[in-house]
């Protein structure tokens, strides 16, 4: 068998368009998964036992079952409950539900890693809980959260290929369709692999950038901030 | 007799089966400096932590500045404070911790400012003006932009004192402020505390620094097993202790 990219190369624009769907699925579901995951994490740390238990149950179910199954359920089982969804919204919902179970645990571990004394000191000066979370806990938790969060983000990006089973024309489904009609399986899959690698490389780079941004030991005050603090003549 | 700033009545606190405070009553007058001494686990920290409601008393009443701590209203009509009310109450009570608990993600100056911007609602500029003055006052005018991890223990604790003073509290609670410090750094922190005392601040200090207690305290309280064993002026307590338990403790710690 010989490798010949001449048939495959003209399909690059089609695959790039498919990558657009991969990006759409991944970004939207990761966004909802992060926001929901944050509130689930707070719920998991709540002083109300019922809420803690409910969140635990949610994470137990959605982290303990494959995302493939969530996709099938939302897309094929939802109509049984009178709810018919198009492939893309169904995939986004399923992927968000899955993502937030993981993000809940990642964010919770970060929030809990912030030393309790930090919170006590903030309570002692009279800060309210929302302010403590925003000003004291989150800025410290974010840097702890970034590496596992970004790892999960990368996994999530690759797992978006599972949405092919509910007919979302993302990279994998598109690649398979092209391969079936051109018989250039190796070449097309190679191109698909390069696209995934490009997407995940962007995330790796984003992670490095975020880690640098949040490394507060290396932070120096900007000139604007120094002026605001009266450390520099205005 | 000065009017009482802190009034503790029959305070009990249990953690599970451990009785941390077993009926403590005590008043601290306005501008008075009270040092609380006693062995580890005697309840000194718990007593201070009940005064700003970081620990909720199991029973008993604590008042600061004439207001009951942690509750709104009196007697049977009292209800527990909500988050916002608790926060406003704590803003009036400064606290300094054994392990400093500076916020590591912001500079020393920003540590001192944060309560002013977040709790008092000052602009960053106005808060920074006050915070800079306090940083000079605690002798750290050259460390404004240092991050906590680049400061020595003594410097960290002085920032923590400035952070508490920034709120202009009615009282200051010091929970073993020098116990985590290298011996050569203890003096600089005690010196700042002495200065705060001289300015008329009402202070309660849990400490093992007997020299400081003798020099600065108006009254010394000796605690053991969750009770106040005896209290008196430094001269009374250190030179003529009435209780055998106090005598044994002082012998141990002063030898």
């Amino acid at each position: 068998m010989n490798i010949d990219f001449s048939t495959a190369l003209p399909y690059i624009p089609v695959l790039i368009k498919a990558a657009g769907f991969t990006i759409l699925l991944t970004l939207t579901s990761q966004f909802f998964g992060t926001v929901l995951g944050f509130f689930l994490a707070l719920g998991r740390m709540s002083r109300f036992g019922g809420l803690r238990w409910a969140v635990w149950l949610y994470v137990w179910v959605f982290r303990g079952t494959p995302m493939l199954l969530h996709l099938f359920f939302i897309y094929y089982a939802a109509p049984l409950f009178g709810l018919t969804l198009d492939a893309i919204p169904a995939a986004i919902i399923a992927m968000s539900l899955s993502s937030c179970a993981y993000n809940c645990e990642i964010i919770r571990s970060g929030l809990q890693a912030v030393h309790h004394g930090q919170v006590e000191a903030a309570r002692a000066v009279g800060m309210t809980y929302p302010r403590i979370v925003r000003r004291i806990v989150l800025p410290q938790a974010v840097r702890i959260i970034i590496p596992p969060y970004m790892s999960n983000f990368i996994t999530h990006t690759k797992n978006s290929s599972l949405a092919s089973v509910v007919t979302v024309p993302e990279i994998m489904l598109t690649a398979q369709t092209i391969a079936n009609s051109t018989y250039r399986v190796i070449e097309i899959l190679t191109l698909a692999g390069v696209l995934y690698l490009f997407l995940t490389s962007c995330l790796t780079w984003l992670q490095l950038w975020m880690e640098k941004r949040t490394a507060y030991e290396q932070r120096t005050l900007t000139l604007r901030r120094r002026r605001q603090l009266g450390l520099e003549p205005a | 007799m000065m009017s009482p700033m802190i009034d503790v009545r029959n305070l009990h606190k249990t953690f599970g089966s451990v009785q941390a405070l077993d009926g403590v009553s005590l008043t601290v007058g306005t501008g008075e400096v009270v040092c609380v001494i006693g062995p580890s686990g005697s309840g000194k920290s718990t007593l201070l932590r009940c005064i700003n409601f970081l620990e909720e008393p199991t029973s008993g009443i604590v008042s600061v500045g004439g207001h009951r701590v942690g509750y709104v209203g009196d007697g049977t009509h009292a209800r527990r404070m909500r988050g916002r009310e608790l926060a406003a109450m704590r803003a009036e009570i400064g606290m300094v911790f054994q392990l400093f608990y500076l916020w590591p993600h912001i500079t020393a100056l920003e540590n001192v400012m944060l309560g002013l911007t977040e709790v008092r609602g000052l602009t960053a500029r106005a808060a920074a003006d006050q915070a800079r003055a306090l940083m000079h006052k605690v002798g750290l005018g050259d460390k404004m932009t240092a991050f906590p991890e680049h400061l020595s223990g003594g410097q960290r604790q002085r920032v923590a004192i400035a952070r508490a003073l920034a709120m202009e509290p009615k009282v200051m609670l010091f929970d073993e402020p020098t116990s985590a410090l290298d011996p050569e750094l203890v003096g600089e922190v005690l010196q700042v505390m002495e200065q705060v005392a001289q300015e008329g601040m009402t202070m309660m200090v849990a400490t093992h620094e007997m020299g400081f207690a003798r020099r600065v305290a108006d009254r010394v309280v000796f605690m053991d097993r969750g009770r106040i064993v005896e209290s008196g002026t430094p001269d009374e307590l250190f030179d003529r202790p009435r209780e055998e338990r106090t005598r044994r403790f002082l012998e141990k710690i002063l030898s």
Side-chain angles (χ1 to χ4, degrees), chain A residues 198-217:
Chain A
F198 173 75
L199 294 182
T200 53
S201 300
C202 289
L203 291 177
T204 306
W205 174 81
L206 180 65
Q207 176 178 348
L208 283 176
W209 179 80
M210 287 168 83
E211 282 181 24
K212 234 181 239 161
R213 270 297 304 268
T214 54
Y216 43 75
E217 314 82 347

Side-chain angles (χ1 to χ4, degrees), chain A:
Chain A
M1 185 180 144
N2 59 333
I3 303 290
D4 177 9
F5 274 93
S6 60
T7 318
L9 289 178
Y11 286 99
I12 288 180
V14 182
L15 283 169
I16 288 177
K17 196 175 159 220
F21 283 105
T22 297
I23 293 170
L24 172 76
L25 290 185
T26 312
L27 287 188
T28 44
S29 62
Q30 184 71 7
F31 171 76
F32 289 124
T34 304
V35 175
L36 280 173
F38 172 70
F39 287 107
L40 285 182
L42 292 183
R44 192 93 153 74
M45 293 157 57
S46 161
R47 58 201 158 99
F48 303 109
L51 186 57
R52 281 203 306 274
W53 184 82
V55 174
W56 179 88
L57 188 72
Y58 178 87
V59 172
W60 180 63
V61 170
F62 278 85
R63 205 174 55 163
T65 48
M67 194 167 85
L68 188 58
L69 191 128
H70 310 154
L71 285 158
F72 277 130
F73 248 89
I74 300 285
Y75 190 60
Y76 294 112
L80 301 178
F81 302 97
L83 188 73
T84 311
L85 290 167
D86 285 337
I88 290 173
I92 289 174
I93 291 173
M95 288 175 67
S96 301
L97 292 175
S98 176
S99 159
C100 76
Y102 289 94
N103 285 328
C104 164
E105 288 300 280
I106 291 169
I107 293 169
R108 178 180 67 93
S109 71
L111 294 177
Q112 285 182 335
V114 176
H115 193 281
H116 184 64
Q118 297 290 319
V119 175
E120 267 192 355
R123 287 164 75 199
V125 298
M127 286 168 70
T128 52
Y129 182 69
R131 280 176 194 274
I132 294 174
V133 170
R134 201 171 75 226
R135 293 286 177 206
I136 306 298
V137 179
L138 271 182
Q140 296 184 61
V142 160
R143 59 189 310 232
I144 304 168
I145 290 169
I146 287 171
Y149 176 83
M150 291 306 289
S151 275
N152 181 53
F153 198 166
I154 288 170
T155 306
H156 193 63
T157 305
K158 294 180 293 175
N159 281 349
S160 70
S161 59
L162 295 170
S164 58
V165 300
V166 294
T167 74
V168 178
E170 46 65 69
I171 297 176
M172 268 326 273
L173 181 62
T174 308
Q176 280 171 340
T177 313
I178 300 170
N180 288 343
S181 59
T182 60
Y183 302 107
R184 285 292 167 191
V185 179
I186 303 288
E187 292 85 343
I188 295 291
L189 287 182
T190 305
L191 291 180
V194 169
L195 271 178
Y196 275 114
L197 206 51
F198 173 75
L199 294 182
T200 53
S201 300
C202 289
L203 291 177
T204 306
W205 174 81
L206 180 65
Q207 176 178 348
L208 283 176
W209 179 80
M210 287 168 83
E211 282 181 24
K212 234 181 239 161
R213 270 297 304 268
T214 54
Y216 43 75
E217 314 82 347
Q218 272 126 46
R219 208 187 105 201
T220 48
L221 298 179
T222 59
L223 184 63
R224 193 165 154 264
R225 180 71 172 157
R226 290 177 63 83
R227 284 192 176 138
Q228 190 181 34
L229 300 185
L231 299 167
E232 205 78 54

Side-chain angles (χ1 to χ4, degrees), chain A residues 120 131 135 217 229, chain B residues 49 105 110 118 132 149:
Chain A
E120 267 192 355
R131 280 176 194 274
R135 293 286 177 206
E217 314 82 347
L229 300 185
Chain B
R49 292 168 60 84
H105 58 296
E110 289 166 315
E118 293 294 309
R132 282 201 317 279
E149 74 166 337

